[in-house]
Amino acid sequence: MSKDTPAQFGALLMTDGGAQRSGPPALFRGLTEAEKARVLGSGKRKVLYRGAQLFRQGSPQDGIYLIESGRIKVFYIAPSGREITLAYWHSGNFVGGPEVFKQGLHVWSGSAAVNSTVLHLPGDVLRQMVLTIPQLAIGIIEGLSFKGQCYSALAQMLGTRSPTERLSQLLLHLMNLYGVEERDGILIAASFTHADLAHMTGVTRQSVTTSLKRFADLGILHAHGTNLVITDAEMLAKIRDGKLAKFVASSEA
């Protein structure tokens, strides 16, 4: 990936086996042009500006939203107001489940991370189409399967890793997905605020800021404008794996 290539955001699937570069399967993979045209003609297009809400948890839900362009952030907000990011989804994928064929209530929220265009496919319309377009049915099943892996990995991370270990895991994952080699390290060629990193790891923004400063003091990384450069991935991996308990304890104190 070059510096001039904009990073695409798939789901942040962070497993112990490493980052998955391939990302989620595209919904239209395997469809003929005629089948694609039929699906596109059955939905209602919606344009969203950056930050606009697509759906809100607890609101009525019907079918799915196919992302035609841009990126959609899916997140959950606790009664306390605490937010955790579930995933970022890019064009070719869909959001709005887990129900896809019937009406219900949204169990999380979705908003545009950048200017985006989506196509709403109501549940009853989608049900009729999968009966005659088998490849579309496969795409939906594969998409739901991938989402299940993502959310399972997120639950495992939150339940088994300390805040600093989670941040280390996330940084290594982002480095693998969006890393560009530089003279003094590997640039993560995608900008995330401290709040973004906090929402993706289930910790506070202050905790992220403190840990990043500690990482910088130890020579693990440094800032490059609004991006980060990883200079010692090996040490970051040791923190992720809990092999530097003393460091973790001091940074989380």
Side-chain angles (χ1 to χ4, degrees):
M1 174 180 176
S2 69
K3 287 185 182 181
D4 297 327
T5 302
Q8 281 195 317
F9 292 66
L12 290 176
L13 176 56
M14 296 177 288
T15 65
D16 291 332
Q20 292 199 3
R21 284 179 170 271
S22 59
L27 184 60
F28 280 178
R29 187 176 65 185
L31 269 66
T32 66
E33 291 303 317
E35 290 170 337
K36 290 179 186 178
R38 180 184 168 194
V39 175
L40 292 174
S42 301
K44 184 177 181 180
R45 190 164 285 100
K46 186 174 185 178
V47 176
L48 301 168
Y49 292 106
R50 180 180 179 180
Q53 195 92 24
L54 177 58
F55 51 87
R56 191 182 303 274
Q57 64 193 60
S59 63
Q61 179 265 341
D62 179 20
I64 61 175
Y65 294 92
L66 171 66
I67 306 171
E68 294 187 305
S69 66
R71 293 194 302 273
I72 300 297
K73 171 187 172 183
V74 177
F75 57 98
Y76 176 79
I77 300 178
S80 64
R82 187 90 173 259
E83 177 183 319
I84 184 165
T85 298
L86 302 177
Y88 286 88
W89 299 100
H90 57 77
S91 58
N93 297 287
F94 65 90
V95 294
E99 295 287 359
V100 295
F101 296 134
K102 62 181 181 180
Q103 298 179 350
L105 295 177
H106 285 291
V107 295
W108 42 68
S109 300
S111 64
V114 297
N115 293 345
S116 305
T117 303
V118 299
L119 185 76
H120 179 222
L121 296 168
D124 56 348
V125 173
L126 195 60
R127 179 185 290 274
Q128 290 301 315
M129 285 193 292
V130 298
L131 293 176
T132 54
I133 309 177
Q135 202 61 43
L136 178 62
I138 292 174
I140 292 173
I141 292 171
E142 290 180 341
L144 291 173
S145 175
F146 187 87
K147 292 176 190 294
Q149 293 177 52
C150 293
Y151 302 150
S152 175
L154 178 64
Q156 292 169 17
M157 180 185 72
L158 294 176
T160 62
R161 296 186 184 275
S162 72
T164 305
E165 290 169 354
R166 292 179 218 162
L167 179 60
S168 301
Q169 185 179 10
L170 175 59
L171 291 175
L172 287 168
H173 177 72
L174 295 176
M175 182 189 75
N176 288 332
L177 285 176
Y178 313 122
V180 175
E181 290 189 14
E182 293 199 332
R183 183 175 58 184
D184 56 347
I186 300 178
L187 171 73
I188 297 177
S191 297
F192 293 94
T193 66
H194 289 192
D196 290 333
L197 298 177
H199 292 158
M200 285 187 278
T201 52
V203 302
T204 64
R205 182 183 60 79
Q206 292 83 354
S207 174
V208 168
T209 299
T210 298
S211 292
L212 289 177
K213 184 179 184 304
R214 179 71 167 150
F215 289 168
D217 290 342
L218 290 173
I220 295 175
L221 55 77
H222 65 80
H224 182 88
T226 58
N227 301 97
L228 294 173
V229 176
I230 306 299
T231 53
D232 193 340
E234 184 176 347
M235 188 171 183
L236 200 58
K238 288 180 180 179
I239 296 172
R240 174 201 62 191
D241 296 338
K243 295 178 180 178
L244 293 178
K246 188 174 182 180
F247 163 79
V248 172
S250 64
S251 66
E252 294 175 357

